[in-house]
Amino acid sequence: MKVLVDTCVWSKLLGKATGKNDPIILELNELIKEYRVQMIGPIRQELLSGIKNKKQFTMLKEHLRAFS
């Protein structure tokens, strides 16, 4: 079964202050390893809208494509 991950969880994973032992991040990483994560357009758009640097934007956009 696929899991739709909300923006706030992705933001936590992508944030700089994220702790590696955070249970939410550990669970998301496990779901990613199991290929169970799904991302819809509005969530991808919301995540990308916060990126100001073009290089970072392009890199993140490419990485997020795997969850379509």
Side-chain angles (χ1 to χ4, degrees):
M1 173 184 357
K2 293 285 186 172
V3 177
L4 181 62
V5 179
D6 197 18
T7 308
C8 61
V9 177
W10 285 110
S11 294
K12 195 168 194 171
L13 175 70
L14 298 170
K16 294 179 181 178
T18 302
K20 294 185 184 202
N21 293 324
D22 184 319
I24 293 171
I25 300 308
L26 293 172
E27 181 65 26
L28 179 55
N29 282 325
E30 197 59 38
L31 290 170
I32 291 170
K33 288 178 193 173
E34 295 171 0
Y35 300 98
R36 294 183 53 208
V37 174
Q38 184 83 34
M39 182 180 286
I40 59 174
I43 292 174
R44 181 181 356 274
Q45 182 178 355
E46 194 170 8
L47 288 170
L48 291 172
S49 70
I51 307 297
K52 305 297 182 218
N53 179 293
K54 176 129 175 101
K55 184 177 178 181
Q56 288 177 337
F57 176 90
T58 303
M59 188 176 0
L60 182 57
K61 183 178 174 184
E62 289 301 315
H63 281 97
L64 295 179
R65 191 171 285 179
F67 303 107
S68 298

